[in-house]
Amino acid sequence: MNTEWFWLAVGFLGQALFSARFLVQWLASERARRSIVPKAFWFFSLAGGVTLLAYALYRRDPVFIAGQGAGLLIYGRNLMLIRRETRLSRARQ
């Protein structure tokens, strides 16, 4: 298998996952008739970010690496906050 084609596919997969989060957010907001950010948005952000970071590391692109690395912290933190809120909500019931 040609390594360059493999990494190009990884890059496009990461971009597709990352872009899918906007579709997920838009559809959820349309259903709710208000702007919301569903948990799936953050999972797509994390999956796309990890995949794009792998691609950026392969390309040795420091700007891309810094951008994706910082984003991963934000996506992970949002998922942690959602998890904590869910646990607290269940404990109150």
Side-chain angles (χ1 to χ4, degrees):
M1 176 191 220
N2 184 331
T3 304
E4 197 61 32
W5 278 105
F6 171 78
W7 283 107
L8 192 58
V10 168
F12 276 115
L13 173 64
Q15 191 58 53
L17 288 168
F18 201 69
S19 296
R21 69 196 189 126
F22 293 112
L23 180 61
V24 166
Q25 191 275 330
W26 174 54
L27 292 173
S29 293
E30 288 296 329
R31 278 191 210 117
R33 297 237 183 252
R34 63 185 177 86
S35 182
I36 62 170
V37 180
K39 192 183 338 182
F41 177 90
W42 299 112
F43 280 113
F44 274 106
S45 297
L46 196 61
V50 165
T51 308
L52 287 171
L53 179 60
Y55 180 72
L57 288 167
Y58 170 73
R59 292 284 181 196
R60 296 185 179 141
D61 184 328
V63 174
F64 202 11
I65 291 167
Q68 290 305 317
L72 291 176
L73 296 173
I74 295 165
Y75 313 143
R77 180 64 178 148
N78 274 286
L79 285 168
M80 289 170 59
L81 291 170
I82 290 168
R83 182 176 175 207
R84 184 178 71 187
E85 184 179 326
T86 302
R87 282 194 315 223
L88 289 173
S89 167
R90 285 182 185 154
R92 288 184 199 127
Q93 293 175 351

PDB file of all heavy atoms in Angstrom, residues 8-10 17 22 24-25 31 38 42-44 46-47 49 52-53 56 64 66 69 71 80 82 90-93:
ATOM      1  N   LEU A   8      -3.277  10.361   2.987  1.00  0.00           N
ATOM      2  CA  LEU A   8      -4.248  11.244   2.343  1.00  0.00           C
ATOM      3  C   LEU A   8      -5.666  10.798   2.716  1.00  0.00           C
ATOM      4  O   LEU A   8      -6.525  11.626   3.040  1.00  0.00           O
ATOM      5  CB  LEU A   8      -4.048  11.224   0.827  1.00  0.00           C
ATOM      6  CG  LEU A   8      -4.775  12.291   0.030  1.00  0.00           C
ATOM      7  CD1 LEU A   8      -4.390  13.687   0.485  1.00  0.00           C
ATOM      8  CD2 LEU A   8      -4.471  12.115  -1.449  1.00  0.00           C
ATOM      9  N   ALA A   9      -5.900   9.490   2.728  1.00  0.00           N
ATOM     10  CA  ALA A   9      -7.202   8.953   3.134  1.00  0.00           C
ATOM     11  C   ALA A   9      -7.487   9.267   4.601  1.00  0.00           C
ATOM     12  O   ALA A   9      -8.612   9.628   4.967  1.00  0.00           O
ATOM     13  CB  ALA A   9      -7.255   7.441   2.892  1.00  0.00           C
ATOM     14  N   VAL A  10      -6.478   9.144   5.459  1.00  0.00           N
ATOM     15  CA  VAL A  10      -6.634   9.489   6.877  1.00  0.00           C
ATOM     16  C   VAL A  10      -7.011  10.965   7.011  1.00  0.00           C
ATOM     17  O   VAL A  10      -7.916  11.320   7.776  1.00  0.00           O
ATOM     18  CB  VAL A  10      -5.346   9.176   7.681  1.00  0.00           C
ATOM     19  CG1 VAL A  10      -5.396   9.790   9.072  1.00  0.00           C
ATOM     20  CG2 VAL A  10      -5.128   7.670   7.776  1.00  0.00           C
ATOM     21  N   LEU A  17     -15.097  13.492   9.400  1.00  0.00           N
ATOM     22  CA  LEU A  17     -15.602  13.359  10.765  1.00  0.00           C
ATOM     23  C   LEU A  17     -15.764  14.728  11.412  1.00  0.00           C
ATOM     24  O   LEU A  17     -16.774  15.016  12.064  1.00  0.00           O
ATOM     25  CB  LEU A  17     -14.646  12.510  11.611  1.00  0.00           C
ATOM     26  CG  LEU A  17     -14.605  11.026  11.309  1.00  0.00           C
ATOM     27  CD1 LEU A  17     -13.415  10.375  12.005  1.00  0.00           C
ATOM     28  CD2 LEU A  17     -15.905  10.369  11.749  1.00  0.00           C
ATOM     29  N   PHE A  22     -20.886  19.513  12.353  1.00  0.00           N
ATOM     30  CA  PHE A  22     -21.758  20.647  12.038  1.00  0.00           C
ATOM     31  C   PHE A  22     -23.120  20.179  11.533  1.00  0.00           C
ATOM     32  O   PHE A  22     -24.145  20.769  11.859  1.00  0.00           O
ATOM     33  CB  PHE A  22     -21.091  21.575  11.023  1.00  0.00           C
ATOM     34  CG  PHE A  22     -19.889  22.257  11.578  1.00  0.00           C
ATOM     35  CD1 PHE A  22     -18.633  21.957  11.103  1.00  0.00           C
ATOM     36  CD2 PHE A  22     -20.003  23.178  12.612  1.00  0.00           C
ATOM     37  CE1 PHE A  22     -17.511  22.584  11.624  1.00  0.00           C
ATOM     38  CE2 PHE A  22     -18.885  23.805  13.146  1.00  0.00           C
ATOM     39  CZ  PHE A  22     -17.638  23.501  12.646  1.00  0.00           C
ATOM     40  N   VAL A  24     -24.547  17.337  12.415  1.00  0.00           N
ATOM     41  CA  VAL A  24     -25.204  16.823  13.615  1.00  0.00           C
ATOM     42  C   VAL A  24     -25.796  17.975  14.429  1.00  0.00           C
ATOM     43  O   VAL A  24     -26.948  17.920  14.873  1.00  0.00           O
ATOM     44  CB  VAL A  24     -24.208  16.000  14.477  1.00  0.00           C
ATOM     45  CG1 VAL A  24     -24.738  15.743  15.866  1.00  0.00           C
ATOM     46  CG2 VAL A  24     -23.873  14.690  13.778  1.00  0.00           C
ATOM     47  N   GLN A  25     -25.032  19.034  14.606  1.00  0.00           N
ATOM     48  CA  GLN A  25     -25.498  20.182  15.389  1.00  0.00           C
ATOM     49  C   GLN A  25     -26.672  20.870  14.699  1.00  0.00           C
ATOM     50  O   GLN A  25     -27.669  21.222  15.323  1.00  0.00           O
ATOM     51  CB  GLN A  25     -24.348  21.169  15.614  1.00  0.00           C
ATOM     52  CG  GLN A  25     -24.639  22.265  16.620  1.00  0.00           C
ATOM     53  CD  GLN A  25     -25.351  23.461  16.034  1.00  0.00           C
ATOM     54  OE1 GLN A  25     -25.179  23.786  14.860  1.00  0.00           O
ATOM     55  NE2 GLN A  25     -26.145  24.125  16.848  1.00  0.00           N
ATOM     56  N   ARG A  31     -34.465  20.141  14.849  1.00  0.00           N
ATOM     57  CA  ARG A  31     -35.468  19.319  15.545  1.00  0.00           C
ATOM     58  C   ARG A  31     -35.983  20.010  16.796  1.00  0.00           C
ATOM     59  O   ARG A  31     -37.162  19.946  17.106  1.00  0.00           O
ATOM     60  CB  ARG A  31     -34.877  17.962  15.920  1.00  0.00           C
ATOM     61  CG  ARG A  31     -34.890  16.997  14.788  1.00  0.00           C
ATOM     62  CD  ARG A  31     -34.552  15.582  15.259  1.00  0.00           C
ATOM     63  NE  ARG A  31     -33.897  14.905  14.162  1.00  0.00           N
ATOM     64  CZ  ARG A  31     -32.664  14.450  14.155  1.00  0.00           C
ATOM     65  NH1 ARG A  31     -31.917  14.553  15.227  1.00  0.00           N
ATOM     66  NH2 ARG A  31     -32.161  13.864  13.100  1.00  0.00           N
ATOM     67  N   PRO A  38     -25.494  18.976  20.691  1.00  0.00           N
ATOM     68  CA  PRO A  38     -25.654  17.626  21.228  1.00  0.00           C
ATOM     69  C   PRO A  38     -24.308  16.981  21.582  1.00  0.00           C
ATOM     70  O   PRO A  38     -23.251  17.406  21.099  1.00  0.00           O
ATOM     71  CB  PRO A  38     -26.336  16.867  20.090  1.00  0.00           C
ATOM     72  CG  PRO A  38     -25.951  17.606  18.856  1.00  0.00           C
ATOM     73  CD  PRO A  38     -25.765  19.048  19.261  1.00  0.00           C
ATOM     74  N   TRP A  42     -19.593  16.731  20.147  1.00  0.00           N
ATOM     75  CA  TRP A  42     -18.279  16.657  20.803  1.00  0.00           C
ATOM     76  C   TRP A  42     -17.564  15.360  20.474  1.00  0.00           C
ATOM     77  O   TRP A  42     -16.339  15.331  20.350  1.00  0.00           O
ATOM     78  CB  TRP A  42     -18.426  16.859  22.313  1.00  0.00           C
ATOM     79  CG  TRP A  42     -18.997  18.200  22.605  1.00  0.00           C
ATOM     80  CD1 TRP A  42     -20.234  18.482  23.129  1.00  0.00           C
ATOM     81  CD2 TRP A  42     -18.392  19.465  22.334  1.00  0.00           C
ATOM     82  NE1 TRP A  42     -20.419  19.832  23.200  1.00  0.00           N
ATOM     83  CE2 TRP A  42     -19.305  20.468  22.725  1.00  0.00           C
ATOM     84  CE3 TRP A  42     -17.177  19.853  21.805  1.00  0.00           C
ATOM     85  CZ2 TRP A  42     -19.032  21.833  22.608  1.00  0.00           C
ATOM     86  CZ3 TRP A  42     -16.902  21.213  21.684  1.00  0.00           C
ATOM     87  CH2 TRP A  42     -17.822  22.175  22.085  1.00  0.00           C
ATOM     88  N   PHE A  43     -18.312  14.254  20.304  1.00  0.00           N
ATOM     89  CA  PHE A  43     -17.675  12.994  19.919  1.00  0.00           C
ATOM     90  C   PHE A  43     -17.115  13.079  18.494  1.00  0.00           C
ATOM     91  O   PHE A  43     -16.014  12.597  18.222  1.00  0.00           O
ATOM     92  CB  PHE A  43     -18.636  11.815  20.063  1.00  0.00           C
ATOM     93  CG  PHE A  43     -18.761  11.325  21.474  1.00  0.00           C
ATOM     94  CD1 PHE A  43     -19.950  11.468  22.172  1.00  0.00           C
ATOM     95  CD2 PHE A  43     -17.691  10.728  22.118  1.00  0.00           C
ATOM     96  CE1 PHE A  43     -20.060  11.024  23.479  1.00  0.00           C
ATOM     97  CE2 PHE A  43     -17.786  10.275  23.422  1.00  0.00           C
ATOM     98  CZ  PHE A  43     -18.981  10.425  24.100  1.00  0.00           C
ATOM     99  N   PHE A  44     -17.876  13.690  17.573  1.00  0.00           N
ATOM    100  CA  PHE A  44     -17.351  13.879  16.218  1.00  0.00           C
ATOM    101  C   PHE A  44     -16.153  14.826  16.234  1.00  0.00           C
ATOM    102  O   PHE A  44     -15.197  14.640  15.489  1.00  0.00           O
ATOM    103  CB  PHE A  44     -18.430  14.415  15.269  1.00  0.00           C
ATOM    104  CG  PHE A  44     -19.277  13.331  14.654  1.00  0.00           C
ATOM    105  CD1 PHE A  44     -20.576  13.127  15.078  1.00  0.00           C
ATOM    106  CD2 PHE A  44     -18.771  12.525  13.650  1.00  0.00           C
ATOM    107  CE1 PHE A  44     -21.359  12.140  14.519  1.00  0.00           C
ATOM    108  CE2 PHE A  44     -19.543  11.524  13.079  1.00  0.00           C
ATOM    109  CZ  PHE A  44     -20.851  11.331  13.517  1.00  0.00           C
ATOM    110  N   LEU A  46     -14.001  15.187  18.678  1.00  0.00           N
ATOM    111  CA  LEU A  46     -12.875  14.425  19.225  1.00  0.00           C
ATOM    112  C   LEU A  46     -12.330  13.437  18.193  1.00  0.00           C
ATOM    113  O   LEU A  46     -11.119  13.381  17.953  1.00  0.00           O
ATOM    114  CB  LEU A  46     -13.323  13.696  20.498  1.00  0.00           C
ATOM    115  CG  LEU A  46     -12.248  13.155  21.404  1.00  0.00           C
ATOM    116  CD1 LEU A  46     -11.353  14.268  21.928  1.00  0.00           C
ATOM    117  CD2 LEU A  46     -12.904  12.426  22.574  1.00  0.00           C
ATOM    118  N   ALA A  47     -13.217  12.679  17.547  1.00  0.00           N
ATOM    119  CA  ALA A  47     -12.779  11.689  16.548  1.00  0.00           C
ATOM    120  C   ALA A  47     -12.104  12.367  15.367  1.00  0.00           C
ATOM    121  O   ALA A  47     -11.033  11.934  14.910  1.00  0.00           O
ATOM    122  CB  ALA A  47     -13.969  10.856  16.076  1.00  0.00           C
ATOM    123  N   GLY A  49     -10.751  15.368  15.369  1.00  0.00           N
ATOM    124  CA  GLY A  49      -9.531  16.013  15.852  1.00  0.00           C
ATOM    125  C   GLY A  49      -8.372  15.046  16.007  1.00  0.00           C
ATOM    126  O   GLY A  49      -7.238  15.349  15.628  1.00  0.00           O
ATOM    127  N   LEU A  52      -7.297  14.019  12.463  1.00  0.00           N
ATOM    128  CA  LEU A  52      -6.568  15.112  11.815  1.00  0.00           C
ATOM    129  C   LEU A  52      -5.217  15.371  12.481  1.00  0.00           C
ATOM    130  O   LEU A  52      -4.248  15.720  11.799  1.00  0.00           O
ATOM    131  CB  LEU A  52      -7.414  16.381  11.805  1.00  0.00           C
ATOM    132  CG  LEU A  52      -8.576  16.367  10.811  1.00  0.00           C
ATOM    133  CD1 LEU A  52      -9.482  17.575  11.028  1.00  0.00           C
ATOM    134  CD2 LEU A  52      -8.068  16.326   9.378  1.00  0.00           C
ATOM    135  N   LEU A  53      -5.139  15.183  13.795  1.00  0.00           N
ATOM    136  CA  LEU A  53      -3.854  15.332  14.473  1.00  0.00           C
ATOM    137  C   LEU A  53      -2.862  14.278  13.976  1.00  0.00           C
ATOM    138  O   LEU A  53      -1.692  14.580  13.737  1.00  0.00           O
ATOM    139  CB  LEU A  53      -4.015  15.251  15.991  1.00  0.00           C
ATOM    140  CG  LEU A  53      -2.723  15.376  16.798  1.00  0.00           C
ATOM    141  CD1 LEU A  53      -2.034  16.707  16.528  1.00  0.00           C
ATOM    142  CD2 LEU A  53      -3.011  15.208  18.284  1.00  0.00           C
ATOM    143  N   ALA A  56      -1.704  15.462  10.708  1.00  0.00           N
ATOM    144  CA  ALA A  56      -0.804  16.615  10.868  1.00  0.00           C
ATOM    145  C   ALA A  56       0.573  16.178  11.354  1.00  0.00           C
ATOM    146  O   ALA A  56       1.597  16.723  10.916  1.00  0.00           O
ATOM    147  CB  ALA A  56      -1.416  17.617  11.841  1.00  0.00           C
ATOM    148  N   PHE A  64      -0.818  23.080  12.094  1.00  0.00           N
ATOM    149  CA  PHE A  64      -1.925  22.122  12.111  1.00  0.00           C
ATOM    150  C   PHE A  64      -1.891  21.300  13.410  1.00  0.00           C
ATOM    151  O   PHE A  64      -2.924  21.048  14.029  1.00  0.00           O
ATOM    152  CB  PHE A  64      -1.788  21.227  10.877  1.00  0.00           C
ATOM    153  CG  PHE A  64      -3.029  20.540  10.423  1.00  0.00           C
ATOM    154  CD1 PHE A  64      -4.283  20.839  10.915  1.00  0.00           C
ATOM    155  CD2 PHE A  64      -2.940  19.542   9.460  1.00  0.00           C
ATOM    156  CE1 PHE A  64      -5.416  20.172  10.463  1.00  0.00           C
ATOM    157  CE2 PHE A  64      -4.058  18.868   9.009  1.00  0.00           C
ATOM    158  CZ  PHE A  64      -5.300  19.189   9.513  1.00  0.00           C
ATOM    159  N   ALA A  66      -0.579  22.180  16.346  1.00  0.00           N
ATOM    160  CA  ALA A  66      -0.966  23.040  17.474  1.00  0.00           C
ATOM    161  C   ALA A  66      -2.478  23.266  17.493  1.00  0.00           C
ATOM    162  O   ALA A  66      -3.114  23.197  18.552  1.00  0.00           O
ATOM    163  CB  ALA A  66      -0.237  24.376  17.388  1.00  0.00           C
ATOM    164  N   GLY A  69      -4.245  19.887  18.385  1.00  0.00           N
ATOM    165  CA  GLY A  69      -3.928  19.515  19.768  1.00  0.00           C
ATOM    166  C   GLY A  69      -4.701  20.341  20.771  1.00  0.00           C
ATOM    167  O   GLY A  69      -5.265  19.815  21.734  1.00  0.00           O
ATOM    168  N   GLY A  71      -7.509  21.955  20.236  1.00  0.00           N
ATOM    169  CA  GLY A  71      -8.925  21.608  20.097  1.00  0.00           C
ATOM    170  C   GLY A  71      -9.293  20.356  20.862  1.00  0.00           C
ATOM    171  O   GLY A  71     -10.357  20.282  21.485  1.00  0.00           O
ATOM    172  N   MET A  80     -16.194  15.792  29.412  1.00  0.00           N
ATOM    173  CA  MET A  80     -16.095  15.573  30.857  1.00  0.00           C
ATOM    174  C   MET A  80     -17.186  16.358  31.591  1.00  0.00           C
ATOM    175  O   MET A  80     -17.808  15.838  32.525  1.00  0.00           O
ATOM    176  CB  MET A  80     -14.714  15.998  31.359  1.00  0.00           C
ATOM    177  CG  MET A  80     -13.594  15.077  30.929  1.00  0.00           C
ATOM    178  SD  MET A  80     -11.938  15.739  31.269  1.00  0.00           S
ATOM    179  CE  MET A  80     -11.988  15.961  33.032  1.00  0.00           C
ATOM    180  N   ILE A  82     -20.100  17.307  30.383  1.00  0.00           N
ATOM    181  CA  ILE A  82     -21.388  16.663  30.087  1.00  0.00           C
ATOM    182  C   ILE A  82     -21.559  15.420  30.944  1.00  0.00           C
ATOM    183  O   ILE A  82     -22.635  15.176  31.506  1.00  0.00           O
ATOM    184  CB  ILE A  82     -21.491  16.318  28.584  1.00  0.00           C
ATOM    185  CG1 ILE A  82     -21.622  17.603  27.769  1.00  0.00           C
ATOM    186  CG2 ILE A  82     -22.662  15.378  28.323  1.00  0.00           C
ATOM    187  CD1 ILE A  82     -21.434  17.407  26.277  1.00  0.00           C
ATOM    188  N   ARG A  90     -28.635  12.462  37.475  1.00  0.00           N
ATOM    189  CA  ARG A  90     -29.141  11.142  37.878  1.00  0.00           C
ATOM    190  C   ARG A  90     -29.181  11.007  39.390  1.00  0.00           C
ATOM    191  O   ARG A  90     -30.081  10.400  39.954  1.00  0.00           O
ATOM    192  CB  ARG A  90     -28.271  10.028  37.301  1.00  0.00           C
ATOM    193  CG  ARG A  90     -28.496   9.819  35.827  1.00  0.00           C
ATOM    194  CD  ARG A  90     -27.652   8.686  35.319  1.00  0.00           C
ATOM    195  NE  ARG A  90     -27.779   8.575  33.876  1.00  0.00           N
ATOM    196  CZ  ARG A  90     -26.868   8.064  33.084  1.00  0.00           C
ATOM    197  NH1 ARG A  90     -25.741   7.584  33.593  1.00  0.00           N
ATOM    198  NH2 ARG A  90     -27.046   8.002  31.785  1.00  0.00           N
ATOM    199  N   ALA A  91     -28.194  11.581  40.062  1.00  0.00           N
ATOM    200  CA  ALA A  91     -28.125  11.510  41.529  1.00  0.00           C
ATOM    201  C   ALA A  91     -29.274  12.284  42.171  1.00  0.00           C
ATOM    202  O   ALA A  91     -29.746  11.911  43.251  1.00  0.00           O
ATOM    203  CB  ALA A  91     -26.793  12.034  42.024  1.00  0.00           C
ATOM    204  N   ARG A  92     -29.733  13.340  41.538  1.00  0.00           N
ATOM    205  CA  ARG A  92     -30.833  14.147  42.067  1.00  0.00           C
ATOM    206  C   ARG A  92     -32.176  13.464  41.948  1.00  0.00           C
ATOM    207  O   ARG A  92     -33.117  13.817  42.623  1.00  0.00           O
ATOM    208  CB  ARG A  92     -30.890  15.496  41.344  1.00  0.00           C
ATOM    209  CG  ARG A  92     -29.765  16.412  41.714  1.00  0.00           C
ATOM    210  CD  ARG A  92     -29.947  17.753  41.035  1.00  0.00           C
ATOM    211  NE  ARG A  92     -28.681  18.468  41.014  1.00  0.00           N
ATOM    212  CZ  ARG A  92     -28.114  18.979  39.945  1.00  0.00           C
ATOM    213  NH1 ARG A  92     -28.712  18.927  38.775  1.00  0.00           N
ATOM    214  NH2 ARG A  92     -26.957  19.587  40.028  1.00  0.00           N
ATOM    215  N   GLN A  93     -32.280  12.510  41.037  1.00  0.00           N
ATOM    216  CA  GLN A  93     -33.577  11.864  40.786  1.00  0.00           C
ATOM    217  C   GLN A  93     -33.931  10.852  41.811  1.00  0.00           C
ATOM    218  O   GLN A  93     -33.494  10.240  42.548  1.00  0.00           O
ATOM    219  CB  GLN A  93     -33.590  11.196  39.418  1.00  0.00           C
ATOM    220  CG  GLN A  93     -33.517  12.221  38.321  1.00  0.00           C
ATOM    221  CD  GLN A  93     -33.395  11.563  36.957  1.00  0.00           C
ATOM    222  OE1 GLN A  93     -33.210  10.360  36.820  1.00  0.00           O
ATOM    223  NE2 GLN A  93     -33.518  12.359  35.927  1.00  0.00           N
TER     224      GLN A  93
END
